[in-house]
Amino acid sequence: MDTHLTDDVVGPLPGDYKSDVKPIWCPGCGDYSVLAGITRAMATMGLERHDTVVVSGIGCSSRIPAYTSVYGYHTVHGRSLAVASGVKLARPELNVLIFGGDGDGFSIGGNHFLHACRRNVDMTYIVMDNQVYGMTKGQASPTTEADWCESKLTPEGPGVNPIQPVALALACGANFVARGFSNNPNEVARLIVEGVKHPGFSVIHILSPCVTFRPEQRGWKSTVHPYGREPTDDPNEAMRAVLEDDGFGLGIFLAGNRRPFQPGSAATHSIAQIEEGFAV
Amino acid sequence: MTVDSVTIALVGSGGAGAMTAGQMLLDAAANVGWYGLMSRTTGPQIRGGEAAALVRLSPTPVHGPGDRFDIIIAFDWQNVERFAAELPLSEKSVIITDPSQGEVPAVLAASGAKQVELPIKDLAGRIPGGRVNMVGLGAVAAIVGLPRAGIDAVIQKALGKKGDAAIQASNAGIDAGSKEAAGWNLGLELAAPNKEGATRWNISGNEAAGLGALKGGVKFCAAYPITPATEILEWLAPNLAKTGGKLVQAEDELASIAMCLGASFSGVPSITATAGPGLSLMTECIGLGVASETPVVIVDVQRGGPSTGIPTKSEQSDLNIAVYGLHGDAPHLVVGPTSIGDCLFTTQWAVHLAEALQTPAIVLSDQAMGQSRAIIDKPADAPHKANRLLATDLGGEAKYKRYADTESGVSPAAIPGMPGGEHTADGLEHAENALPSSQASDHQKQLDKRLRKLTSHDYGDAWADIEGEGEIAVVTWGSATGPSREAVRRLEAAGTKARLVAIRLISPVQPAKLAAALDGVSKVLVVEQTHGAQFHKYLRGHYDLPGAVSVFSRPGPLPIRAREVHETLLSLI
């Protein structure tokens, strides 16, 4: 429902989903464009602001809730997926999106990522990957190359292989997996819309350069390329293709058909009836 | 001659059915109108190994373990040395032993207790499908004078589905044990049950906490198993579902508390339960709940610690982390139930308080309450429900301020689904409009508000259980309350007036109320189950205690017994 794309239909505009708070990000940060993509996606879907909840952890990208005008919960490092799961499980009618970065999502939050993928609650995780801890001024993250020597904390390089977020998501059973690049907010918006519409847990990996601590990431503009295949619903096929990809292919890898996890049903008993079970 | 209380240990390694027999004994006693309490002691093994069902029966409500065991019946003696210290005996006690299982272990025989032989295995062996625990149950029932009708009802309930053969085998076993014991005349016949009065319940502390959560209005639980808290979660799983709520098994304690915060942020009252190690993992998110003003209830069923400590045995040593364990200045609620039945009231109250004050509440239960089962009078219904102050008039010109600095400190909450209330709840310090702020003035204002909403709330009479009068007072909390109550009553029965103050609201402190409760007191005895006297130090830090203050403080796993508190009180007089 692209109501904002035509002049004759009045619908929500991306700006309606922005707060009046100025981001604290550095000039040139990729997250500005991701935020633009997010608000564009919200407008495209015409989400009701009061029925939409964005949850984040800690880090540069996790500041996004304050920059939107929907309900938000800016939580603590690594726990955003668990908090968001609580929101969606308790109130299935709400639209739930989660924003975070590579450190928040794959390091301290790694266990929650694994289990969010396998649990398959119907919510959308937008993880902005700049392969560095930006907010703490430039340390290696779980997606940083083993030989990146620019951090004072790991002057010889982290020395361990980076995590491949998309492959990890597929291995853990995520139901929708895509990759975008912040430079193209329209494409980011399209991926988010597809992810939100797809039932189950959607992971949208977005390459979002940190030009402050990883200035060489400006070169990603020429490194990224279309993934080049149609989305599959077969996780094995998606995994084979992802492993052949160089980590810079953009598109939808998997649109699977696992049933979302959503326990609960209507009440069948009064508390008085339950209490009777204790009577001698 | 009859007695007012009988304490019985049914001892046997895994498979002997000691726990089943103990459970049936308690149920049967309840059926005929007695009160009782059953706790269990086991080693760290998952199944099998040494185990004992510890049962105390009385015509009147039972508040804690007996001073000593009147009867020990052993189906075997495997590894009894490991927990002999938990089985105090005297020369008045009776040890019932199967000669085929060998001599009574020296560690028990040294007590000078009377020994009675019962060929348990042999008697069971003569019955097709016969089991030793039923023989033992029959013997104990005969000794305490438990009417057969009470047992019949239990057998029917427990074995009805297994068919007549199983029922006949059990009845034959009970008859055999009962017949042997009938002529012993041990003088342990329990006074007649008083069947008058209220409906009675058979409930464990962990079940009571779960019921309290339901009655308070909890509709969401995120769970991660840990001894001895798991039964709360296991009880809630089917019962939350029955009431339209949800329980989710999380990947760890961090996720449990985080999921609860998410559910609560969306307006659904939430609870989780854990033990000390899990509470530690939850700490950061509890701080998030404080700062973001998101209500949540955490039941910590304490056990011996630190680290994994003694997971199957009780202690009160998480007090410090519950009160002081959060980072930064993080005012929150800490409450402690004072009995198995009170796990219901206190958990329900915690749900109400957490929601009313929009903050986390930690309920400090412990293994001795949580995993013990008692026959109690059906608790009175309490009015405490989850009732969060919700924002109204959100459509107006003024932009909604989530953290408005109100007089009470409680800010009207907008929850998702309410147009005009959109905001971002934040663990980062924030201004009244919920936007992050690192300004000193905002930090001061928000800290003041978060503290004020706790300290200005009227907690009514529920802050403590207060009994008795006189110049000597026992101040205690949690499961130390039961033996303390019994000790105070013994003192009074012997003509010395004494008071009991069992503090239910641990934090925030209530200095004026405690001062009033202790007005005129010249001697205070603090009773707690810790090694470091955590409760005593907490009281000393926050209250002016009158007169001479003494402490009875001992770590677990040995339960505090009324006799010990009574003797300490006598030494103070």
Side-chain angles (χ1 to χ4, degrees), chain A residues 21 50 63 65 69 71-74 82-83 86-87 89 91 111-112 115 119 262-263 268-269 271 275 278 280, chain B residues 200-202 207 215 242 246 251-252 259 262 265-266 292 294 415-418 421-426 428:
Chain A
V21 180
H50 59 270
R63 303 286 288 212
S69 63
Y71 278 94
Y73 201 170
H74 184 199
V83 173
V87 173
L89 291 168
R91 296 275 307 277
N111 195 36
H112 304 309
H115 290 279
R119 191 174 283 122
Q262 184 51 256
T268 56
H269 290 65
I271 292 174
E275 282 184 346
F278 294 117
V280 172
Chain B
R200 284 165 319 133
W201 279 6
N202 180 338
E207 290 169 345
K215 295 188 78 159
K242 285 178 189 170
K246 290 167 191 169
E251 54 269 29
D252 53 30
M259 284 184 183
F265 167 79
S266 78
S292 65
T294 311
I415 57 175
M418 294 168 64
E422 296 85 0
H423 69 279
T424 292
D426 210 321
L428 275 178

Side-chain angles (χ1 to χ4, degrees), chain B residues 3 31 132 152 159 161 163 183 222 244 273 306 311 321 337 367 370 422 456 460 469 472 490 525 547:
Chain B
V3 293
N31 280 340
V132 291
D152 286 342
L159 300 176
K161 284 183 188 161
I321 61 162
Q367 188 274 339
E422 296 85 0
S456 66
E469 50 189 47
I472 188 163
R490 283 184 203 177
L525 175 66

Side-chain angles (χ1 to χ4, degrees), chain A:
Chain A
M1 96 186 218
D2 297 335
T3 50
H4 67 290
L5 297 178
T6 54
D7 292 335
D8 53 339
V9 179
V10 178
L13 297 169
D16 296 336
Y17 295 93
K18 280 188 183 137
S19 75
D20 47 12
V21 180
K22 188 171 173 291
I24 59 163
W25 298 319
C26 308
C29 177
D31 291 350
Y32 285 104
S33 303
V34 182
L35 176 59
I38 288 165
T39 53
R40 208 164 293 188
M42 289 176 169
T44 300
M45 290 180 283
L47 298 183
E48 292 284 5
R49 288 169 44 223
H50 59 270
D51 285 338
T52 302
V53 177
V54 294
V55 181
S56 69
I58 285 181
C60 299
S61 50
S62 285
R63 303 286 288 212
I64 281 181
Y67 309 146
T68 66
S69 63
V70 300
Y71 278 94
Y73 201 170
H74 184 199
T75 67
V76 291
H77 205 193
R79 311 295 157 224
S80 60
L81 288 171
V83 173
S85 300
V87 173
K88 184 68 181 182
L89 291 168
R91 296 275 307 277
E93 74 277 18
L94 298 172
N95 311 303
V96 178
L97 294 92
I98 308 101
F99 308 128
D102 39 310
D104 184 69
F106 305 126
S107 195
I108 189 168
N111 195 36
H112 304 309
F113 179 73
L114 192 165
H115 290 279
C117 289
R118 66 180 272 262
R119 191 174 283 122
N120 201 30
V121 173
D122 185 17
M123 55 190 192
T124 302
Y125 184 31
I126 295 124
V127 56
M128 287 153 252
D129 189 356
N130 55 15
Q131 304 176 350
V132 74
Y133 285 104
M135 194 162 266
T136 49
K137 298 188 170 35
Q139 296 80 30
S141 91
T143 54
T144 301
E145 309 89 307
D147 59 354
W148 184 69
C149 301
E150 301 300 315
S151 167
K152 291 176 187 169
L153 198 56
T154 51
E156 304 296 320
V160 291
N161 283 340
I163 280 173
Q164 303 294 342
V166 167
L168 180 64
L170 290 170
C172 296
N175 203 38
F176 179 99
V177 184
R179 184 186 290 121
F181 178 44
S182 64
N183 248 34
N184 188 346
N186 280 333
E187 177 65 1
V188 167
R190 184 185 78 87
L191 296 177
I192 294 173
V193 169
E194 293 298 320
V196 170
K197 280 176 11 189
H198 197 80
F201 184 59
S202 312
V203 177
I204 301 172
H205 178 226
I206 298 182
L207 297 165
S208 180
C210 173
V211 298
T212 300
F213 296 105
R214 306 289 313 260
E216 72 279 14
Q217 290 175 350
R218 293 179 199 274
W220 279 358
K221 273 183 215 165
S222 53
T223 315
V224 296
H225 56 84
Y227 161 62
R229 302 187 201 204
E230 288 302 306
T232 174
D233 62 358
D234 178 357
N236 295 322
E237 192 185 325
M239 183 65 100
R240 275 193 297 273
V242 162
L243 292 177
E244 286 168 9
D245 184 67
D246 62 357
F248 288 93
L250 308 179
I252 299 171
F253 302 100
L254 175 76
N257 45 29
R258 285 179 58 212
R259 204 170 72 174
F261 176 72
Q262 184 51 256
S265 56
T268 56
H269 290 65
S270 68
I271 292 174
Q273 286 173 311
I274 292 169
E275 282 184 346
E276 283 170 17
F278 294 117
V280 172

